[in-house]
Amino acid sequence: RRGCHVDISWRGRSDAVAATWYFVETGRGDAAAASWYSLEGRRLRYAVGDVRDEVGGPVETAWLLLGSLGHLLDADDAVTALGRARDALVPGGTLFLELPHPRETFRLDDVGEDAWIAPLAGGAGDVRVAWGDDDDAFDALTQVRSATVTFEVVRDGAVASSLTDVVPTREFTLQELLLLARLAGGFDATVATYGGMDLEIAADDDELAYRLVVVLTKAGGAPG
């Protein structure tokens, strides 16, 4: 689907934390600064860059997906990124954060790997991505996991090329995220949580929840 991406955000400058922001515009903004799509009559913009930098606006909603927040290993950087998103949002605008579910973070389901497949354009094959391994090192003090990540390009049923790297990834708890949002300031106290990118899945659903999606709302919007 248009607008989907594989986030290889540990690449680039050693001090950069790159990721993909998704925005729904209010009708203003710099079209030259990002890529634009149409989604159900609304303008969807995605921008790749350092999430600690200014992201522009105003926007009605911003999404930081695929656990990209985990590339911010320092709490101060996470607060900065949340503040950048807050500044871009209109009052009442929403910030969606998609992260590994706490059951995965704490290995309650004995699952150490997250994997998915994306088709190549024109039916030329598939890209297989495996994120994490049961033997990955985890620093309990910093909550940083050294995640093993493998990309494989598969053509005609055989692996044509592959790349494996180790990516430091911070694992956040829900309580930490709520505190970081308070430190960033400017968000409503009421926070919505879901167990996936589906509003019908509760975050505490032991059967269906597979991701932790946290929705922050910028203060100052009209009462619901």
Side-chain angles (χ1 to χ4, degrees):
R1 291 175 294 179
R2 299 185 70 184
C4 293
H5 72 289
V6 177
D7 183 4
I8 50 173
S9 55
W10 61 92
R11 299 292 181 185
R13 294 185 297 116
S14 61
D15 63 337
V17 184
T20 301
W21 285 108
Y22 290 84
F23 305 103
V24 173
E25 296 289 334
T26 62
R28 293 174 288 175
D30 183 2
S35 298
W36 297 82
Y37 297 95
S38 177
L39 178 66
E40 297 182 354
R42 307 302 297 276
R43 292 200 303 171
L44 176 67
R45 173 170 67 99
Y46 78 88
V48 180
D50 192 318
V51 294
R52 298 168 298 185
D53 294 340
E54 293 184 10
V55 294
V59 297
E60 295 177 11
T61 183
W63 300 358
L64 189 58
L65 307 179
L66 296 179
S68 294
L69 191 69
H71 297 302
L72 299 167
L73 307 184
D74 183 270
D76 288 336
D77 284 343
V79 171
T80 297
L82 294 176
R84 296 301 192 190
R86 175 208 60 221
D87 292 343
L89 291 168
V90 298
T94 52
L95 170 59
F96 282 71
L97 303 171
E98 183 202 13
L99 296 161
H101 194 277
R103 289 202 305 269
E104 179 180 336
T105 299
F106 293 107
R107 298 297 191 263
L108 299 182
D109 288 342
D110 295 324
V111 175
E113 177 184 292
D114 190 13
W116 61 94
I117 299 176
L120 293 172
D126 297 313
V127 175
R128 298 178 181 175
V129 183
W131 188 285
D133 185 87
D134 290 339
D135 295 326
D136 287 343
F138 178 70
D139 188 323
L141 293 180
T142 62
Q143 296 174 212
V144 173
R145 188 175 304 279
S146 298
T148 302
V149 184
T150 300
F151 292 84
E152 293 181 338
V153 176
V154 180
R155 303 182 190 274
D156 299 322
V159 176
S161 60
S162 65
L163 170 67
T164 299
D165 205 347
V166 176
V167 184
T169 306
R170 168 77 177 271
E171 300 195 349
F172 293 96
T173 67
L174 177 58
Q175 293 296 321
E176 285 178 301
L177 286 175
L178 299 181
L179 180 57
L180 293 172
R182 288 179 59 188
L183 290 172
F187 292 105
D188 286 342
T190 302
V191 177
T193 58
Y194 302 96
M197 295 301 290
D198 183 336
L199 302 186
E200 300 301 320
I201 301 178
D204 59 356
D205 190 316
D206 290 337
E207 181 177 351
L208 297 178
Y210 62 98
R211 300 291 283 175
L212 174 63
V213 177
V214 179
V215 184
L216 305 173
T217 302
K218 183 173 178 175

